[in-house]
Amino acid sequence: MKTPICDFVRDYAASDTIRMHMPGHKGRAEDEQLTQIAQYDITEISGADELFHPTSIIAESEANASEIFGCDTYYSTEGSSLCIRAMLHLCMTQSMAPAATPDNAAPAAASDSTAPTAADTPAAPRPWVLAARNVHESFVSACALLGIDAEWIVSPNITLLSIDIDADDVAKALVSGISSHGSLPCCVYITSPDYAGHILPIKEIADVCHKENVPLVVDNAHGAYLKFLEPSVHPMDLGADMCCDSAHKTLPVLTGGAYLHVASSEKYSAERVKNSMQFFASTSPSWLILQSLDRANLWLSEGGKRLFKKTEEKVKKIRASLTDGGLSCYGEDTMKITILTRDFGYTGNEFASILREQKIEVEFSDPDMIVLMITPKNTERELEKLRKILLSIPPRKALSNEVCGSAVFPGKKMTIRTASLCSWETIPLEKALGRIAAMGSFSCPPAVAIVMPGEVIGKEEIASFKYYGYTHCKVVALYSY
């Protein structure tokens, strides 16, 4: 498989051409190590291509990625966040598109006094989306920018990081939402795998969505590698209509490299996809990230796929060893080791500190868990050191488990859009009871909201903020309403 983007940039860097174009470093930096990188950092010069209007090397590279993933695949150099916003924009515009006029239908005469006027035409229903609650903040900001209402799928098994929903939960939520709004949602939106490593039953959920003629959109940011397991359990192979992958999370791609996958080019043409991406994107995509996406195609086609199977087996053995040692592992994501540490007598942050002292940095820690992300690029030595260090930690008296999250969501006083665009203020949590949350009241778990913009902050939400170490939150300013 060719690497057209990498080949072009490498040849250009070696050509000794005088750069009278951006970027300002001109392929040179004050540091020798940075100069080695800077010479490959270019812009849309002659012979290159445009990310959102590709006709040559980017188009060829995206075609290679599409062949690998078995669907229409598009590049993002702004992570899955850009893809999430674009997917919602695509679904919204598709759901609001007027019905196609039959080819043989005669147009209404201009003089026809009975033709409907704007005043006679009922207003289109406000677009809405049905989603699992553990959405990334880019989903929330997209709803705010696009004016999309969000309804949440209810399940008895909900925490901030991980939500366990099934096809029945989605079916019930669809019936309730359609009855409430009087229209279909523009899509059903779920996150799988979630940050803690739980994977939802995509195929069954997709079947429910398609029965109602509603597209299924999946935030698969943590699951690009799922395509390369045997058999594939990638959302696009299980019935999703669209999904995003953060390539940089599990593939050898620079931070910011991501894919937007689309199942039906009839519904979502390349032109429409690129238009939706451009709507939110920078006009200066990173050519360093594009090269890493391009090069990943070659890596995957020349054996990278096989390496995931080997790595999956290694991770499985480590998890079994940790379980035998008394540690509680969570989730089905086979490239993650998520350890619930409280049963072992530690907070996740304490575990992370112990590992950090041994020069092992975790992906994430909080009062309950640590998340370790593994790829084929981790060496045998690294994995063995990780296993030994984890097993060397002595058990202590178990800590009480305080689950943060509830199947009963806070009351909503404003739409996400209204609350997000209002003036806001930051106040101490002690003064937040009964106030309306503004945009940015997000906690870590990463970018997952304890309370959504427009919702009323209650005692449980304040307790959750405190549990994750927060002392203040953003609320809608009183003079805004």
Side-chain angles (χ1 to χ4, degrees):
M1 181 172 285
K2 294 181 179 179
T3 53
I5 299 174
C6 292
D7 294 346
F8 173 85
V9 177
R10 183 175 57 247
D11 291 344
Y12 183 71
S15 69
D16 201 28
T17 298
I18 297 173
R19 301 188 181 198
M20 293 297 173
H21 58 76
M22 299 184 291
H25 56 63
K26 306 300 183 180
R28 308 178 185 93
E30 299 305 310
D31 180 272
E32 182 179 349
Q33 187 175 4
L34 289 177
T35 293
Q36 293 176 4
I37 299 171
Q39 63 181 320
Y40 300 107
D41 185 27
I42 65 166
T43 188
E44 292 86 349
I45 58 176
S46 176
D49 207 352
E50 295 183 42
L51 179 56
F52 301 116
H53 303 281
T55 58
S56 57
I57 58 176
I58 293 177
E60 183 181 350
S61 185
E62 287 185 329
N64 289 340
S66 298
E67 181 181 344
I68 289 169
F69 282 94
C71 59
D72 293 336
T73 296
Y74 305 92
Y75 291 159
S76 163
T77 65
E78 298 173 57
S80 283
S81 293
L82 170 58
C83 301
I84 288 167
R85 295 181 179 114
M87 290 190 297
L88 286 178
H89 184 258
L90 281 163
C91 289
M92 184 191 77
T93 53
Q94 181 66 28
S95 69
M96 297 174 70
T101 303
D103 292 338
N104 59 355
S111 60
D112 186 354
S113 60
T114 63
T117 65
D120 299 323
T121 305
R126 181 190 294 273
W128 65 285
V129 57
L130 179 64
R133 180 85 172 184
N134 60 335
V135 290
H136 190 269
E137 66 177 308
S138 55
F139 169 93
V140 183
S141 64
C143 287
L145 292 169
L146 297 169
I148 298 175
D149 288 340
E151 297 290 343
W152 308 112
I153 302 168
V154 177
S155 166
N157 302 309
I158 291 179
T159 64
L160 283 177
L161 263 185
S162 192
I163 294 179
D164 188 17
I165 61 173
D166 59 23
D168 287 340
D169 295 325
V170 175
K172 291 174 185 175
L174 273 171
V175 170
S176 175
I178 293 168
S179 174
S180 174
H181 286 266
S183 63
L184 293 173
C186 62
C187 67
V188 168
Y189 182 98
I190 58 176
T191 301
S192 179
D194 59 34
Y195 206 85
H198 179 49
I199 295 177
L200 296 176
I202 301 292
K203 185 179 185 305
E204 291 79 5
I205 292 174
D207 289 343
V208 167
C209 294
H210 296 156
K211 186 176 180 181
E212 296 292 341
N213 199 30
V214 175
L216 174 63
V217 174
V218 182
D219 175 352
N220 186 57
H222 285 257
Y225 80 95
L226 295 173
K227 176 68 181 180
F228 312 113
L229 301 184
E230 296 178 5
S232 166
V233 285
H234 192 275
M236 299 308 294
D237 293 322
L238 298 178
D241 295 274
M242 278 189 280
C243 86
C244 61
D245 297 348
S246 288
H248 67 89
K249 286 183 169 64
T250 56
L251 304 181
V253 171
L254 294 179
T255 299
Y259 307 114
L260 195 165
H261 303 294
V262 176
S264 172
S265 55
E266 291 183 8
K267 236 183 195 182
Y268 310 106
S269 67
E271 184 179 15
R272 287 184 178 276
V273 173
K274 291 288 187 178
N275 183 69
S276 289
M277 296 183 81
Q278 190 174 20
F279 188 74
F280 298 99
S282 167
T283 56
S284 301
S286 166
W287 277 78
L288 296 174
I289 297 173
L290 285 174
Q291 289 167 77
S292 70
L293 286 164
D294 187 44
R295 185 61 179 76
N297 292 335
L298 183 63
W299 182 81
L300 288 167
S301 66
E302 288 191 343
K305 296 178 183 179
R306 294 191 298 273
L307 293 176
F308 275 105
K309 184 63 177 175
K310 293 180 180 179
T311 305
E312 186 181 29
E313 291 299 322
K314 293 174 186 176
V315 174
K316 189 181 297 183
K317 289 179 181 178
I318 294 173
R319 285 170 65 114
S321 178
L322 298 179
T323 300
D324 290 342
L327 292 168
S328 300
C329 295
Y330 175 84
E332 303 79 25
D333 187 333
T334 56
M335 290 295 121
K336 274 195 178 87
I337 296 177
T338 298
I339 301 174
L340 305 178
T341 58
R342 300 186 74 85
D343 290 341
F344 211 64
Y346 298 79
T347 66
N349 295 328
E350 288 177 315
F351 247 59
S353 180
I354 293 169
L355 290 173
R356 193 172 295 117
E357 290 173 359
Q358 299 296 325
K359 296 189 180 299
I360 298 174
E361 190 63 40
V362 305
E363 164 64 23
F364 170 76
S365 69
D366 72 0
D368 303 307
M369 67 180 73
I370 60 169
V371 177
L372 308 161
M373 294 182 66
I374 298 165
T375 79
K377 291 294 184 177
N378 285 113
T379 66
E380 290 272 9
R381 183 190 67 80
E382 291 172 341
L383 296 179
E384 181 58 18
K385 178 180 178 180
L386 172 67
R387 187 188 70 83
K388 286 182 176 180
I389 297 299
L390 287 171
L391 289 175
S392 72
I393 299 174
R396 301 194 307 208
K397 182 180 178 181
L399 303 177
S400 61
N401 285 303
E402 302 178 32
V403 176
C404 282
S406 171
V408 179
F409 304 132
K412 185 167 66 173
K413 289 289 186 179
M414 292 181 175
T415 64
I416 289 176
R417 178 179 175 84
T418 300
S420 298
L421 299 182
C422 277
S423 295
W424 55 269
E425 57 186 333
T426 300
I427 63 173
L429 287 174
E430 289 72 20
K431 297 182 179 181
L433 185 65
R435 295 291 296 273
I436 300 173
M439 189 69 181
S441 293
F442 296 99
S443 74
C444 215
V448 177
I450 288 174
V451 59
M452 295 289 174
E455 293 179 342
V456 178
I457 299 172
K459 292 181 180 179
E460 185 172 331
E461 289 70 49
I462 291 174
S464 293
F465 274 119
K466 289 181 177 179
Y467 185 72
Y468 286 104
Y470 285 79
T471 58
H472 292 71
C473 66
K474 292 178 181 177
V475 297
V476 174
L478 288 173
Y479 58 79
S480 295
Y481 61 97

